[in-house]
Amino acid sequence: MVRYIAFLRGINVAGQKLIKMETLRKTMTDAGFLNVATYIQSGNIVFDALGTDSGLIGPAIEDLVENTFGFRTDVIVRKLSEIKAIVNSIGFSELQSDEEKKYYISFLKESYPGPLTVPEYSKNRDIEIYYKGRMEFYSICTLYKGNYGFPNAYIEKLTGIPATTRNPITLRKITEL
């Protein structure tokens, strides 16, 4: 039995792709996933799967979402142990957002093989990618014209790979479920 986290990309944002977490938990449980829990409305699902190839879980959940809610969205799956390793890594506890900056971690749907020199800055320099892992990017977003940058679209454009982004507080809370 392995504990996983599935991140659903772009749900419950600005009235689009609406999913009630209660319904999502029931759908996942009915599909055979065990000990299903969700955290906030942004599509964070923690669950157990028995004898399942982790590479098949994301597409299976994408199909479940499409069949149940009528739209398709990217689902990015990681083992809970991988997310705990990030949360417990040296320096993670120092990622404290404030009025000047916001920290985020973006998870890629697949490994990004291309070269990337960090730091990497967006055109307006409101997004700085300061760490590139095998399947995740860490970024700092700062105020630009009264708004904070948000790295997801920038990272997807940069890599050509679907991604979803969470803040450190959310990741810490998810690992505690």
Side-chain angles (χ1 to χ4, degrees):
M1 184 86 55
V2 178
R3 193 116 175 110
Y4 291 96
I5 298 174
F7 300 108
L8 279 64
R9 185 192 175 285
I11 67 156
N12 296 338
V13 178
Q16 303 294 313
K17 295 184 176 179
L18 299 177
I19 295 178
K20 291 186 180 215
M21 294 300 103
E22 181 179 338
T23 306
L24 181 59
R25 286 190 301 271
K26 182 177 180 342
T27 300
M28 294 274 299
T29 301
D30 291 348
F33 296 101
L34 306 170
N35 303 312
V36 179
T38 56
Y39 178 71
I40 62 177
Q41 296 295 313
S42 59
N44 306 295
I45 314 162
V46 181
F47 58 93
D48 294 328
L50 182 62
T52 306
D53 178 351
S54 63
L56 301 176
I57 293 174
I61 297 172
E62 289 172 357
D63 290 344
L64 281 173
V65 168
E66 185 172 29
N67 293 334
T68 305
F69 301 100
F71 60 83
R72 194 155 187 92
T73 191
D74 288 302
V75 175
I76 297 168
V77 177
R78 298 290 189 273
K79 290 180 180 175
L80 178 61
S81 60
E82 294 170 332
I83 302 302
K84 281 185 175 182
I86 289 171
V87 168
N88 294 326
S89 67
I90 294 173
F92 186 86
S93 62
E94 296 171 16
L95 304 182
Q96 300 296 321
S97 296
D98 58 32
E99 292 178 11
E100 296 179 18
K101 63 187 173 305
K102 304 280 183 200
Y103 288 92
Y104 295 101
I105 300 173
S106 299
F107 297 94
L108 303 178
K109 193 169 184 177
E110 57 192 61
S111 183
Y112 176 63
L116 180 70
T117 303
V118 292
E120 167 75 27
Y121 295 94
S122 64
K123 178 182 167 187
N124 298 325
R125 299 185 73 79
D126 59 336
I127 301 169
E128 173 192 350
I129 297 170
Y130 67 93
Y131 173 78
K132 173 200 169 286
R134 185 175 60 86
M135 298 202 30
E136 66 274 344
F137 287 12
Y138 290 43
S139 56
I140 302 171
C141 299
T142 55
L143 278 173
Y144 175 75
K145 294 186 178 181
N147 294 306
Y148 288 97
F150 189 71
N152 210 80
Y154 176 66
I155 288 170
E156 288 182 334
K157 184 177 180 182
L158 183 70
T159 64
I161 299 170
T164 194
T165 299
R166 300 296 187 271
N167 67 52
I169 293 169
T170 296
L171 290 177
R172 189 172 288 110
K173 294 284 187 181
I174 291 169
T175 63
E176 295 169 357
L177 290 179

